[in-house]
Structures are given as structure tokens and as C-alpha cells.
């Protein structure tokens, strides 16, 4: 969808399509689109407008104000599209496809309660009714959370969850519905060492649920002040007796007040993915179950794509390393072959020379010196040895022992010689 419009074109769009759907088509947030319309003085439908349209009731449509400023006549929606990291583009694409493939309708809340806050002007807040039988994947976690002892400020903490005691039933209900949403996407939910864990074997991600809190200076109560005064009198009396007592504190320096606003945060990293969801003025955890489940699926699909690529690259490196090792051994064997043939040629040349020497000595005849005769005898023995080395049976035995010309070549590479190594990781 294009991003540049005239004011009239954008006005017609926002009054013909709900702003949330239009923002999704323009790949920006609905809040961002509303701010753009306000910047260009384009009125947008108020709350209840689309409900009246669906019910067939008359609904007031605000007109488009006329402006004399020519710079406000052309509207560009959204900024430049974020450049995708080329090193993880494949993983981003795989993650997006995985989420689109498993798109499901929003998980229906089990007896949801809508608390209307018309008096304050706030948007209706949807909450889940307490769950009596949590999903099997979170039942053990629910028992542990219920049994956890709150600290002085009312905080209960187990691995992966840190909330106020009053928020326990809400967290359990949320986890129950999240487990159902993840189950629709083929994802299992459990408790891991680093927090809560969602997984599609063998990949998993961890996440945490926490509650916002505010630190305020502690105001000591009368009882705490009295304890301090009594102890100071005790220290003073001990000092008179020549004794010394350690100073003690009877109240903490700070108190923590919990806001009731929950935050869901994924500990893993995936480029282009949302990692944190929190309660806000216009939305609550209960309305974000599907969005969070899609976010978890995105992270898992992203990790899977990267893992599979790493495994493929590692397999390619191992295969290439094996081919290079074969090539190295073939070169070593080739050098041995050349050396063997060179030695065979030397034997043949030496044998020919010895034959000539022995033949010349036999023609000379007569008595010769004993040393010369012994040399001739040695030459004949040497010639016999050389001729034995040139015998086909001996040559075959030597070739077999060196494995220079095997019938089945274990060093054969059907792909030919591998490319030379370009770098350390090649």
C-alpha cells in the first residue's frame, strides 16, 4: 500500500476503514497513524463510531477542515522502512512465514469480565476469571506460585515470575490462556532454569513475568519508633556500664508499592521482533495473549532458522574439510608414486651399468687381483638383488605395501579437487 496521500485521500481512508486495520495495512501503529492525522488536521472517527455503523445506526462524520498551508496538503505516512539486517534476513523471513502460517483467531477468554470505567473515561478493561483447573503445562507452576510466601512488601517470587501476592490469580489465569494459545501453535510451555520456557523441540526461549513497582522512602510507624527508642535507652545504659552494643535498624529504608501493571518479557533476541508487552491505558495482558503467542512463535522460528543454517554451514565446512584432507593425501600419494618410479628407474640404470662392468671383467679373463675379484662377486650379488627388485611379483608386493595404486581408491573425490581455502572459517 502506498504511503503518500493527499489530505482528502487519507481522510476518505480513515472514515472508510477502522484505523487499527488501516494502520496494519500501512505497517505502522494505530497510535502513530492517529498522530499523523492530528498533525495534518484530519479528523478521525471517535469511540463508538464503527459500532454504530455495524448496528445500522446513524453516526456523525466530522468534515475535513480546509487549510491554506500548501505544505500540509500532502501527507507521508510513516518513516522509511527499516532496513533488514542481511545477515539474518533469511531468519526474519522464516519467522514471519511461520507466524502467518499459524495465524489463529484470538483465544476466547473463559468467562471474561469486562469492567466498564465510563466515569473515568478510560477504555474498558478485560480480565480473566480465576482458573480452577489450569492447563496441564502450567498446573505445577500455579501450585508453586500459590504456595510461595510473600515478603514484607507482599512480593512473591518464583523462577520466571515476580509479582505482588494480589496478582497471583491473574498471572495463573493469563498463563492458562497463554498455554492454550501456544498449544494451537504447536508450542509447549514449561518452567526452565532461567525462567518460564516455551519450546518447539529442540529450540526453546525463556521469558519472565513481572509487576511494576515504585520505591518510596519508608515512614516509620509509632511501634517502630518506640522499638528504636527502647533500644537506644538500652545502648545508653550499657555504655554507662562500659559495654558496647551494635546499632540496629528497626525499619527498612524503602518500601515498594506495586502498581498492578504486569510486564511480559522474552529473554531471547530476534531481529525485528517485539520482546516486551505491558499493561497500558488502553490494553491489558488479557487482550495481548495472541500477540504474545505470535511473538513467542516468531522468536522460536527465528532461532530455528538460524540453527538450521548454522548446522548446514557446519556440515558444508566438515564436507569441504574432508575433501581437502583427501586432496592433501592424494598429493602425498602422488609424491610417493613419483619417488617409487624414480627409484625403479635408478635400479634399472644401475643394473644396466653393473651388467656392463661384469661383462667387461669376464672378457678380461686371467688372474686378477683378489680385491678386484671380490668386487666383481659383490657386483654380481648386487645385480641379482636389483633384478629381483624389478621382478613383477616383487614390484606388485611393494606397490601393495605402499598402497600406491589400489583397486578401489579411497581417496577418490567425485567432485574433483576442492577450491582453495579463502579464510579461517572457509
Amino acid at each position: 500500500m502506498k504511503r503518500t496521500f493527499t489530505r482528502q485521500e487519507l481522510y476518505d481512508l480513515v472514515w472508510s476503514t477502522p484505523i487499527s486495520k488501516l494502520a496494519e495495512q500501512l505497517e505502522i501503529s494505530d497510535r502513530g497513524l492517529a498522530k499523523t492525522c492530528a498533525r495534518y488536521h484530519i479528523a478521525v472517527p471517535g469511540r463508538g463510531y464503527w459500532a454504530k455503523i455495524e448496528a445500522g445506526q446513524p453516526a456523525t462524520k466530522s468534515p475535513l477542515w480546509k487549510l491554506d498551508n500548501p505544505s500540509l496538503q500532502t501527507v507521508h505516512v510513516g518513516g522509511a522502512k527499516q532496513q533488514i539486517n542481511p545477515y539474518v534476513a533469511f531468519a526474519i523471513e522464516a519467522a514471519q512465514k511461520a507466524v502467518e502460517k499459524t495465524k489463529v483467531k484470538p483465544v476466547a477468554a473463559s468467562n471474561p469480565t469486562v469492567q466498564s470505567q465510563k466515569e473515568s473515561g478510560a477504555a474498558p478493561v478485560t480480565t480473566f476469571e480465576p482458573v480452577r483447573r489450569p492447563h496441564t503445562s502450567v498446573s505445577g507452576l500455579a501450585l508453586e506460585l500459590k504456595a510461595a510466601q510473600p515478603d514484607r512488601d507482599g512480593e512473591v517470587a518464583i523462577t520466571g515470575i515476580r509479582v505482588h501476592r494480589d496478582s497471583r490469580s491473574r498471572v495463573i489465569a493469563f498463563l492458562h490462556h497463554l498455554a492454550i494459545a501456544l498449544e494451537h501453535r504447536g508450542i509447549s510451555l514449561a518452567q526452565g532454569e532461567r525462567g518460564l520456557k516455551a519450546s518447539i523441540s529442540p529450540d526453546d526461549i525463556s521469558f519472565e513475568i513481572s509487576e511494576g513497582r515504585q520505591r518510596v522512602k519508608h515512614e516509620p510507624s509509632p511501634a517502630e519508633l518506640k522499638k528504636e527508642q527502647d533500644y537506644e535507652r538500652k545502648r545508653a545504659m550499657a555504655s554507662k556500664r562500659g559495654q558496647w552494643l551494635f546499632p540496629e535498624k528497626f525499619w527498612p529504608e524503602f518500601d515498594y508499592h506495586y502498581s498492578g501493571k504486569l510486564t511480559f518479557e522474552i529473554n531471547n533476541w530476534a531481529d525485528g521482533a517485539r520482546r516486551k508487552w505491558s499493561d497500558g491505558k488502553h490494553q491489558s495482558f488479557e487482550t495481548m495473549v495472541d500477540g504474545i503467542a505470535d511473538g513467542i512463535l516468531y522468536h522460536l522460528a527465528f532461532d530455528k532458522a538460524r540453527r538450521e543454517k548454522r548446522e548446514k554451514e557446519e556440515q558444508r565446512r566438515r564436507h569441504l574439510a574432508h575433501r581437502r584432507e583427501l586432496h592433501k593425501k592424494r598429493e602425498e600419494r602422488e609424491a610417493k608414486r613419483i619417488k617409487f618410479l624414480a627409484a625403479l628407474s635408478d635400479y634399472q640404470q644401475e643394473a644396466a651399468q653393473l651388467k656392463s662392468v661384469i661383462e667387461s671383467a669376464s672378457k678380461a679373463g686371467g688372474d686378477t687381483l683378489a680385491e678386484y675379484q671380490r668386487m666383481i662377486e659383490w657386483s654380481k650379488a648386487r645385480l641379482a638383488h636389483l633384478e629381483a627388485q624389478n621382478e613383477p611379483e616383487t614390484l606388485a608386493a611393494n606397490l601393495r605395501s605402499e598402497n600406491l595404486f589400489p583397486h578401489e581408491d579411497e581417496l577418490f573425490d567425485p567432485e574433483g579437487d576442492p577450491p582453495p581455502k579463502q579464510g579461517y572459517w572457509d
Side-chain angles (χ1 to χ4, degrees):
M1 191 173 184
K2 71 175 186 177
R3 290 174 173 268
T4 303
F5 309 89
T6 64
R7 289 182 68 244
Q8 183 65 50
E9 287 176 336
L10 186 56
Y11 170 83
D12 293 338
L13 283 174
V14 298
W15 285 94
S16 61
T17 306
I19 199 166
S20 59
K21 293 183 179 179
L22 182 60
E24 185 177 352
Q25 295 173 6
L26 293 169
E27 298 180 344
I28 63 172
S29 67
D30 51 356
R31 184 64 180 159
L33 180 56
K35 286 183 177 180
T36 299
C37 291
R39 192 180 306 120
Y40 287 87
H41 304 285
I42 299 173
V44 297
R47 186 177 301 161
Y49 175 82
W50 295 109
K52 291 180 180 179
I53 295 296
E54 290 179 1
Q57 300 176 0
T60 304
K61 184 177 180 180
S62 301
L64 177 64
W65 305 325
K66 292 184 179 181
L67 297 176
D68 295 329
N69 189 345
S71 64
L72 297 179
Q73 298 306 316
T74 301
V75 184
H76 182 74
V77 179
K81 193 171 183 180
Q82 183 180 3
Q83 294 296 320
I84 296 178
N85 185 342
Y87 296 102
V88 294
F90 69 95
I92 293 174
E93 183 180 1
Q96 291 172 343
K97 287 182 178 178
V99 173
E100 289 298 325
K101 186 177 179 181
T102 58
K103 274 290 186 183
V104 296
K105 295 180 180 179
V107 177
S110 176
N111 298 323
T113 301
V114 179
Q115 300 173 349
S116 180
Q117 299 177 352
K118 294 181 180 179
E119 296 180 359
S120 63
V125 176
T126 301
T127 59
F128 290 134
E129 290 289 344
V131 178
R132 293 183 179 181
R133 294 184 177 180
H135 192 275
T136 54
S137 62
V138 297
S139 57
L141 189 64
L143 291 174
E144 185 179 355
L145 189 59
K146 289 178 180 178
Q149 294 298 317
D151 63 8
R152 189 188 63 84
D153 294 309
E155 179 186 287
V156 290
I158 63 175
T159 304
I161 299 177
R162 181 193 60 77
V163 296
H164 192 266
R165 61 188 170 201
D166 295 339
S167 300
R168 284 187 284 197
S169 60
R170 185 184 174 201
V171 171
I172 292 171
F174 168 78
L175 287 173
H176 167 76
H177 291 282
L178 178 62
I180 296 173
L182 293 177
E183 192 173 51
H184 287 314
R185 293 162 174 81
I187 303 172
S188 61
L189 184 62
Q191 190 175 22
E193 295 180 357
R194 295 191 301 134
L196 303 178
K197 181 176 69 173
S199 60
I200 300 178
S201 183
D203 304 294
D204 62 71
I205 64 167
S206 64
F207 58 89
E208 298 176 351
I209 296 177
S210 59
E211 182 174 343
R213 61 183 184 177
Q214 183 181 12
R215 190 178 73 170
V216 295
K217 192 75 174 178
H218 179 79
E219 292 293 335
S221 65
E224 291 170 336
L225 290 172
K226 185 175 185 308
K227 285 183 180 179
E228 184 186 48
Q229 292 171 359
D230 292 343
Y231 186 73
E232 288 302 322
R233 283 196 296 268
K234 184 178 179 181
R235 286 187 69 199
M237 294 176 62
S239 179
K240 291 179 180 180
R241 295 193 300 267
Q243 298 175 342
W244 186 82
L245 297 179
F246 284 99
E248 292 185 12
K249 296 188 69 174
F250 294 92
W251 59 80
E253 185 177 0
F254 298 100
D255 290 327
Y256 291 92
H257 295 169
Y258 287 80
S259 65
K261 293 184 177 181
L262 302 180
T263 296
F264 181 101
E265 184 170 5
I266 296 176
N267 297 326
N268 295 53
W269 171 88
D271 197 2
R274 185 175 177 179
R275 297 178 58 242
K276 183 183 288 188
W277 292 261
S278 300
D279 281 322
K281 292 181 179 179
H282 305 289
Q283 61 181 357
S284 63
F285 255 27
E286 288 73 7
T287 63
M288 294 185 283
V289 172
D290 271 312
I292 293 174
D294 283 341
I296 290 174
L297 177 60
Y298 185 102
H299 280 266
L300 286 170
F302 184 92
D303 288 351
K304 177 185 177 183
R306 296 197 72 190
R307 172 181 57 79
E308 289 179 344
K309 184 172 183 180
R310 285 195 302 268
E311 291 173 351
K312 188 176 180 180
E313 286 296 315
E314 181 60 27
Q315 184 179 8
R316 184 191 68 83
R317 281 194 291 268
R318 286 198 301 266
H319 177 67
L320 199 53
H322 176 66
R323 290 183 59 208
R324 286 176 176 149
E325 182 65 21
L326 292 180
H327 181 257
K328 179 181 177 182
K329 291 181 178 180
R330 285 198 303 272
E331 289 183 331
E332 293 173 352
R333 186 178 64 183
E334 196 68 13
K336 289 181 179 179
R337 286 174 172 177
I338 294 172
K339 184 177 179 181
F340 183 89
L341 292 175
L344 184 60
S345 176
D346 291 341
Y347 286 158
Q348 292 174 349
Q349 291 180 11
E350 185 181 356
Q353 292 172 355
L354 285 176
K355 283 181 181 180
S356 177
V357 170
I358 293 170
E359 185 178 350
S360 298
S362 62
K363 288 180 180 180
D367 295 334
T368 57
L369 295 174
E371 286 78 4
Y372 183 75
Q373 188 64 37
R374 285 194 294 272
M375 183 194 73
I376 296 301
E377 293 299 327
W378 178 87
S379 298
K380 290 180 179 180
R382 175 63 179 171
L383 178 59
H385 171 72
L386 294 175
E387 289 178 340
Q389 296 301 314
N390 289 321
E391 291 291 332
E393 294 79 4
T394 305
L395 288 174
N398 291 335
L399 290 172
R400 279 195 299 272
S401 65
E402 295 291 336
N403 198 29
L404 296 181
F405 297 93
H407 176 66
E408 294 184 1
D409 191 359
E410 59 183 13
L411 302 183
F412 174 72
D413 187 351
E415 301 179 53
D417 290 340
K421 193 172 184 178
Q422 299 295 327
Y424 179 79
W425 293 107
D426 183 15

